[in-house]
């Protein structure tokens, strides 16, 4: 990974803004899924992914 001091000022500003948005984002209030998959929410990008295969719905 590139050292952050090697990035242009615009990239550093964008990274700082993204980090601030992540800190201020409300946590997802999802109900507990019974018998669901382990790991991150599979539809977090608007499609379903399982074992590297993506299904858009």
């Amino acid at each position: 990974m590139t050292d952050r001091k090697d990035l242009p000022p615009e990239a550093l500003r964008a990274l700082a803004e993204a980090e601030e948005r992540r800190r201020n984002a409300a946590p997802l209030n999802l109900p507990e899924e019974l018998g669901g998959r382990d790991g991150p929410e599979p539809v977090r990008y608007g499609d379903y992914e399982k074992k590297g295969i993506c299904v858009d719905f």
Side-chain angles (χ1 to χ4, degrees):
M1 184 168 193
T2 305
D3 192 6
R4 289 195 175 198
K5 64 184 174 185
D6 292 340
L7 296 174
E10 295 83 7
L12 294 172
R13 187 176 64 242
L15 287 170
E17 290 172 4
E19 182 61 33
E20 183 69 24
R21 281 194 301 274
R22 278 188 221 106
R23 276 197 300 269
N24 293 332
L28 296 176
N29 189 14
L30 299 174
E32 183 178 341
E33 184 177 354
L34 302 175
R37 296 180 56 207
D38 292 337
E41 180 66 26
V43 294
R44 63 194 177 278
Y45 299 121
D47 48 21
Y48 192 88
E49 177 273 325
K50 183 173 182 181
K51 296 184 180 179
I53 298 172
C54 181
V55 179
D56 198 12
F57 57 103

